[in-house]
Amino acid sequence: MYDLPTLEPIRRYKSIAVLTSGGDAPGMNPAIRGVVRTALHHGIKVYGVQRGYSGLINGDIHVLSSKGVSNIVQKGGTFLKSARCSEFHQATIRANAASQLRKLGIEALIVIGGDGSLTGAHLFEEETGLPVIGIPGTIDNDIFGTDDTIGFDTAVNTALNAIDKIRDTADSHERYFLVEVMGRSSGFLAVHVGIAAGAEMIVVPEFAVDVEAISLQLATSKRKGLGSSGIIVVAEGNAPGLTNRLAEQMAHHGHTPYVSILGHIQRGGHPSGHDRVLASCLGAKAVEYLLAGYSDMMVGVNQGQVVDVPLDNLTRYRKGLDPELLKIALQLHK
């Protein structure tokens, strides 16, 4: 359970809005529910923005009710839909979006999404003066200032479920599998999945890939009688095709691994119990932070405690992999 701060309300809001933006993550629906029901508890009208910042620009905004968020905690994705919106990079577009909200009497906005979405939220408040609170929702777990993000735990378990099955085939054919997980430029998902899956190796974008070292380690393992099959977890990285290129390079060194790219399966499915609790707590606290006079900040988790993080920090700092976790991952390789 999380250590939740007690916040005294000092501001009053009549209406607020909530949206989900960027890549979807399991647990976004419980977060929306947490926002809606907490706001209604405090007598605040809640609007849902459809399709992220695109809906904000187009005025696709509708009132949400308590009944409307019933029976959604177990559903993956986001019932408000999501989208990436390049237009929102323009200051004039952000100003027009703020006008859309003010026309409806909406006084504040809660944004659920990844680092790009929350950076947009910071610029939105900075330029328009409309209070904004962010909630970290991404399977990548790459947002500065929070130990955990909504959807990460579910994505780890989804990848594990797939890898446990792939390992059966790897053993049967005495082959190595390169299993690609998502995460863009961050190796958080790959490291957690790799450790939990007992992977023989983990490749992350934070460190350069050394194909010769990988091939030597595989040959050494085989020579020691540790087996001629296994799983190598590869973080997708920013450039498409990394895992296939790695397989081709390994082939030149005498190894021919199979490639399995898990892809968007990691974003879908029922959110885990952990993600449902995390999302519900952060959704509720986002509203309470607004009422306590906070804005231009994100609600996150640090060492089991719900904390407030300035959104500006997300633009200035990068979340790095825990070196101790990497050390453990290396020690556990065969």
Side-chain angles (χ1 to χ4, degrees), residues 274-295:
H274 172 87
D275 277 329
R276 296 183 200 193
V277 174
L278 173 65
S280 298
C281 289
L282 295 186
K285 285 300 169 183
V287 175
E288 293 183 11
Y289 270 107
L290 267 178
L291 294 173
Y294 289 79
S295 66

Side-chain angles (χ1 to χ4, degrees), residues 2 113-115 118 134-138 140-150 186 188 278 282 289 297-321:
Y2 300 105
D115 55 355
L118 298 183
I135 298 176
T138 169
D140 300 338
N141 195 22
D142 60 348
I143 298 179
F144 178 84
T146 182
D147 295 337
D148 201 358
T149 60
I150 295 167
S186 170
F188 275 95
L278 173 65
L282 295 186
Y289 270 107
M297 50 78 66
M298 174 190 76
V299 285
V301 178
N302 188 304
Q303 297 182 349
Q305 186 172 28
V306 172
V307 295
D308 56 284
V309 182
L311 286 177
D312 185 40
N313 283 359
L314 276 60
T315 65
R316 294 189 289 133
Y317 303 110
R318 176 179 171 81
K319 182 177 179 180
L321 282 175

Side-chain angles (χ1 to χ4, degrees), residues 57-80:
I57 295 168
N58 300 326
D60 196 358
I61 305 168
H62 310 281
V63 175
L64 296 177
S65 65
S66 181
K67 182 179 179 180
V69 294
S70 295
N71 198 32
I72 64 170
V73 292
Q74 77 279 17
K75 296 179 180 178
T78 162
F79 87 96
L80 287 178

Side-chain angles (χ1 to χ4, degrees), residues 207-228:
F207 296 92
V209 179
D210 187 337
V211 179
E212 287 189 11
I214 291 175
S215 299
L216 179 61
Q217 186 173 333
L218 295 183
T220 301
S221 294
K222 186 174 183 180
R223 188 171 62 253
K224 289 181 177 179
L226 296 175
S228 55

Side-chain angles (χ1 to χ4, degrees), residues 47-181:
Y47 289 82
V49 182
Q50 294 286 325
R51 299 173 186 85
Y53 289 125
S54 295
L56 205 59
I57 295 168
N58 300 326
D60 196 358
I61 305 168
H62 310 281
V63 175
L64 296 177
S65 65
S66 181
K67 182 179 179 180
V69 294
S70 295
N71 198 32
I72 64 170
V73 292
Q74 77 279 17
K75 296 179 180 178
T78 162
F79 87 96
L80 287 178
K81 311 303 179 187
S82 189
R84 302 192 189 278
C85 182
S86 58
E87 294 174 87
F88 205 71
H89 293 166
Q90 304 172 42
T92 53
I93 296 295
R94 291 193 290 267
N96 290 337
S99 297
Q100 294 274 18
L101 294 179
R102 289 191 169 107
K103 284 177 185 176
L104 293 170
I106 296 170
E107 303 162 294
L109 176 67
I110 293 176
V111 175
I112 307 168
D115 55 355
S117 300
L118 298 183
T119 297
H122 166 64
L123 293 173
F124 185 67
E125 169 158 346
E126 187 176 59
E127 295 167 359
T128 69
L130 201 80
V132 175
I133 299 286
I135 298 176
T138 169
I139 67 168
D140 300 338
N141 195 22
D142 60 348
I143 298 179
F144 178 84
T146 182
D147 295 337
D148 201 358
T149 60
I150 295 167
F152 178 66
D153 182 72
T154 306
V156 168
N157 283 287
T158 297
L160 280 177
N161 186 46
I163 288 174
D164 287 347
K165 293 177 172 64
I166 290 170
R167 190 179 283 279
D168 292 340
T169 297
D171 290 343
S172 297
H173 290 266
E174 295 184 291
R175 282 281 187 89
Y176 278 89
F177 266 78
L178 297 178
V179 181
E180 181 181 292
V181 299

Side-chain angles (χ1 to χ4, degrees), residues 169-287:
T169 297
D171 290 343
S172 297
H173 290 266
E174 295 184 291
R175 282 281 187 89
Y176 278 89
F177 266 78
L178 297 178
V179 181
E180 181 181 292
V181 299
M182 298 180 93
R184 298 184 302 169
S185 58
S186 170
F188 275 95
L189 188 59
V191 170
H192 281 254
V193 168
I195 291 174
E200 280 62 42
M201 287 183 216
I202 305 170
V203 176
V204 294
E206 285 83 355
F207 296 92
V209 179
D210 187 337
V211 179
E212 287 189 11
I214 291 175
S215 299
L216 179 61
Q217 186 173 333
L218 295 183
T220 301
S221 294
K222 186 174 183 180
R223 188 171 62 253
K224 289 181 177 179
L226 296 175
S228 55
S229 68
I231 300 294
I232 301 173
V233 175
V234 183
E236 63 181 347
N238 283 322
L242 168 66
T243 307
N244 283 313
R245 288 195 299 274
L246 179 57
E248 291 171 3
Q249 292 168 355
M250 289 176 64
H252 293 310
H253 288 80
H255 302 280
T256 310
Y258 290 147
V259 172
S260 182
I261 298 175
L262 299 186
H264 287 81
I265 187 177
Q266 297 158 92
R267 282 198 193 160
H270 306 301
S272 65
H274 172 87
D275 277 329
R276 296 183 200 193
V277 174
L278 173 65
S280 298
C281 289
L282 295 186
K285 285 300 169 183
V287 175

